[in-house]
Amino acid sequence: VQPPEKPLQTEEWKRLRENFQSPEIFEEVMLNNMIKCNSCVDVAKSLLTYVAKSDGDIGYTLLIKYLALCVQQQKTSEICDVYDIMKRRFKTLESGAYNLFIRGLSNSDKWRMALTILEDVKKVMTPSRTSYECCIKAAGRHQEINVARELYHDMLAKDLVPTLDLLQAFFDFSRGMKDAELKKELFGILSYLRNNQIYPHRMFMRSIKLWFESIPGENWRGHLTNIKHSGQCPVCHHQLEDSNLTEEEYHILKERITTDVIHGRDTFRKTSPQEFEAFQAFVEDRLPFDIVIDGLNVSHIKPKKMHCENLFHAINCLAKENVRLLVLGRKHMLINSSNWKQEVMKEMQNKADFFFAENISEDDAFLLYATLRSGKHCRFVTRDFLRDHKACLSDSLTRHLFRKWQRGHQIVVSSSAEGKHIDFLPAFNYDCVVQTTGDTWHIPYKDVFEEKYSYQVPRKWLCLQQKQ
């Protein structure tokens, strides 16, 4: 149904409704299409007038759809009118309605009204992350920094995870301010990025750089750079933190992964205890390995190539002299097929040890066990992020150690854009997280925003130095 270009009279709406194949949903369909086409609010008003005349009042659903159109077009006075109507008619609203009111008002000169609505929402439910973020940004834009900070802490206390967009906004609206508390808050955000291995995108990195350079009387200078393989920053010559765990940390991590992940209830849903014991015996017999490869995962890297070719190519790239490789495979790889040519499989088995698990097995536990059992030098190859296993770990210290170990031990394999060749990005000698020495900050960043957590660590850094 194409919405009309201009407001209609009651009779005209009535005729349109009668000609519609499902008259009982005519108004809803019409308003949905008005939102899609961004129709003039007056056209929607004329439809609601028709509904009010024929039904005596306007239902909740139609009011919400009309409200969504008003918010989309930032019609503040109409948003306020709908709020008054709904407050009078309904005892409470559902969270979607509150979200719309807060979003619509926080971007207007009536932004304080959004804060009032947020306080009302708190009495009946936990406000959504979006509602909090709209109010925090509104307060920040109007330099009500204390209000923004209070709401931010309130939001964190309710376990709502802030978006990068909100964290960036804090750096944007704090530019040029001399405020020790605020500075502490922003350093806290940088620690949060560090502890959660979050990499800001280019725009966010730029906001951080501009904020540092705007702190009155502190003389910070930022430069974009690439860190050398040795871990030294070419700009300030500072050596970045080592990615290696201490002996004690490594021991803690190994114990926890064995208890929580490998012997935790998770592993044996997809593999049998007997199979895992056979694997342990296989590994003990051949220790230590230098690189453990998730064979099935790597075999899918270039979709147009045969699986065995992809794996063969990876093994050839990694099999340098005296490097001991363990490939975790599946039993179906031993059956001749279009993807698994047995002569290629035999050739690979001359270059690496293979363990073939049942086809339904869970390789990640095998991968972690063999890598950790081989010692601190051993690296592993997979395109997986192993996020599930981090979640199985029972405390934050171990999760932190797991991520740090992963950053220093995972060789990332990726196919080039046109799929012509495979790249291996070596594990780093230095730790790829936000870090500071007091008078320097080093912040790894990505070119583009990624909502999804990524195991691929950035190659680009912002170096910030405080000049004396």
Side-chain angles (χ1 to χ4, degrees):
V1 185
Q2 196 59 34
E5 297 286 310
K6 56 185 195 328
L8 300 186
Q9 297 300 319
T10 304
E11 281 307 311
E12 294 171 295
W13 280 120
K14 193 175 172 188
R15 266 200 308 282
L16 270 182
R17 187 179 195 271
E18 283 163 0
N19 293 329
F20 186 65
Q21 58 199 25
S22 312
E24 68 284 358
I25 57 165
F26 170 74
E27 291 83 2
E28 281 191 38
V29 172
M30 182 56 79
L31 277 163
N32 282 340
N33 287 342
M34 286 183 190
I35 294 167
K36 246 186 231 152
C37 303
N38 204 18
S39 299
C40 172
V41 165
D42 289 339
V43 178
K45 266 188 198 166
S46 76
L47 174 61
L48 294 190
T49 307
Y50 156 69
V51 173
K53 280 183 185 168
S54 50
D55 296 357
D57 68 0
I58 301 161
Y60 187 91
T61 310
L62 295 186
L63 280 170
I64 292 294
K65 290 185 189 301
Y66 172 67
L67 171 62
L69 184 67
C70 296
V71 169
Q72 194 167 289
Q73 297 183 15
Q74 297 183 320
K75 301 283 187 195
T76 308
S77 63
E78 280 81 357
I79 296 169
C80 293
D81 292 344
V82 180
Y83 185 64
D84 292 338
I85 293 166
M86 294 188 90
K87 277 285 277 189
R88 276 200 309 275
R89 283 189 42 199
F90 308 103
K91 207 168 172 180
T92 59
L93 310 177
E94 34 75 58
S95 64
Y98 286 127
N99 268 346
L100 279 170
F101 282 122
I102 289 171
R103 204 172 88 215
L105 294 166
S106 62
N107 284 319
S108 75
D109 56 352
K110 294 262 193 294
W111 64 276
R112 286 189 187 278
M113 195 171 156
L115 304 191
T116 310
I117 295 173
L118 185 74
E119 290 309 313
D120 290 344
V121 177
K122 284 188 207 173
K123 292 169 192 162
V124 287
M125 64 179 86
T126 300
S128 70
R129 170 170 83 173
T130 310
S131 291
Y132 266 112
E133 295 205 347
C134 287
C135 289
I136 293 167
K137 285 183 193 169
R141 273 195 302 273
H142 294 87
Q143 298 295 292
E144 295 274 1
I145 302 299
N146 289 340
V147 175
R149 282 222 312 261
E150 272 170 39
L151 289 173
Y152 175 63
H153 286 288
D154 192 20
M155 172 184 166
L156 296 182
K158 291 186 169 64
D159 285 332
L160 295 169
V161 177
T163 59
L164 291 195
D165 191 40
L166 177 73
L167 300 180
Q168 181 183 347
F170 264 103
F171 285 91
D172 287 335
F173 56 63
S174 305
R175 216 172 284 167
M177 287 190 181
K178 195 165 179 63
D179 177 337
E181 277 304 302
L182 182 60
K183 185 172 153 189
K184 207 165 118 191
E185 191 76 69
L186 295 175
F187 281 178
I189 289 176
L190 293 173
S191 296
Y192 168 79
L193 297 180
R194 173 189 169 88
N195 296 337
N196 291 283
Q197 192 187 329
I198 294 169
Y199 303 121
H201 47 84
R202 182 180 283 278
M203 295 290 289
F204 185 4
M205 174 277 296
R206 200 171 159 273
S207 296
I208 295 170
K209 178 179 183 288
L210 291 173
W211 172 72
F212 266 100
E213 292 176 342
S214 79
I215 304 172
E218 293 209 5
N219 204 17
W220 286 93
R221 282 289 160 269
H223 296 276
L224 308 187
T225 186
N226 291 57
I227 304 295
K228 295 173 181 167
H229 189 65
S230 65
Q232 192 186 54
C233 171
V235 179
C236 65
H237 309 300
H238 174 72
Q239 187 67 32
L240 294 191
E241 292 171 33
D242 195 327
S243 67
N244 282 327
L245 302 185
T246 64
E247 288 298 335
E248 189 189 353
E249 287 173 333
Y250 187 74
H251 180 71
I252 292 170
L253 180 68
K254 203 162 123 184
E255 294 293 300
R256 290 321 301 224
I257 284 189
T258 306
T259 321
D260 292 356
V261 178
I262 293 167
H263 294 309
R265 66 191 195 299
D266 232 43
T267 300
F268 299 122
R269 279 189 319 202
K270 292 189 184 146
T271 185
S272 68
Q274 293 77 8
E275 182 179 47
F276 200 76
E277 276 169 29
F279 175 67
Q280 285 176 299
F282 174 92
V283 169
E284 294 304 315
D285 206 28
R286 292 163 176 79
L287 281 173
F289 296 103
D290 299 306
I291 301 174
V292 181
I293 301 169
D294 181 343
L296 195 62
N297 183 285
V298 170
S299 74
H300 286 81
I301 181 80
K302 282 156 74 178
K304 291 182 183 152
K305 278 263 169 88
M306 266 193 292
H307 294 167
C308 62
E309 272 186 44
N310 283 333
L311 186 55
F312 191 40
H313 179 72
I315 287 172
N316 277 340
C317 288
L318 296 164
K320 304 190 181 71
E321 28 182 324
N322 302 328
V323 169
R324 302 212 39 234
L325 304 180
L326 168 62
V327 180
L328 302 173
R330 296 292 179 88
K331 289 197 169 156
H332 73 259
M333 295 176 178
L334 293 168
I335 300 161
N336 205 32
S337 68
S338 58
N339 265 316
W340 297 102
K341 300 283 178 224
Q342 289 313 292
E343 61 274 18
V344 181
M345 288 301 295
K346 284 198 175 70
E347 214 174 320
M348 284 195 261
Q349 284 167 278
N350 292 332
K351 296 179 181 238
D353 281 298
F354 271 75
F355 181 86
F356 297 98
E358 292 297 335
N359 293 326
I360 53 153
S361 294
E362 171 61 79
D363 332 55
D364 290 354
F366 290 68
L367 182 82
L368 292 172
Y369 177 82
T371 310
L372 285 162
R373 190 69 192 84
S374 290
K376 280 171 75 173
H377 73 288
C378 185
R379 307 275 192 257
F380 64 93
V381 184
T382 179
R383 292 185 297 151
D384 273 356
F385 188 57
L386 310 182
R387 187 198 261 146
D388 294 350
H389 304 296
K390 192 194 87 213
C392 291
L393 296 166
S394 52
D395 62 284
S396 59
L397 167 69
T398 321
R399 284 195 291 273
H400 167 75
L401 292 178
F402 178 70
R403 272 196 296 250
K404 183 171 178 178
W405 174 77
Q406 183 180 6
R407 288 192 296 270
H409 290 78
Q410 183 164 3
I411 296 172
V412 174
V413 53
S414 65
S415 177
S416 63
E418 59 288 350
K420 288 214 171 68
H421 57 269
I422 297 177
D423 296 321
F424 290 91
L425 303 178
F428 286 108
N429 299 324
Y430 55 90
D431 200 5
C432 195
V433 282
V434 173
Q435 43 193 280
T436 181
T437 59
D439 59 356
T440 69
W441 280 86
H442 288 88
I443 298 169
Y445 69 93
K446 297 223 158 176
D447 274 334
V448 290
F449 169 69
E450 284 174 357
E451 182 66 76
K452 205 163 104 310
Y453 208 84
S454 169
Y455 60 78
Q456 290 197 325
V457 287
R459 308 272 144 173
K460 297 180 174 182
W461 288 72
L462 166 65
C463 162
L464 288 151
Q465 260 180 300
Q466 192 173 17
K467 302 282 189 195
Q468 295 310 324

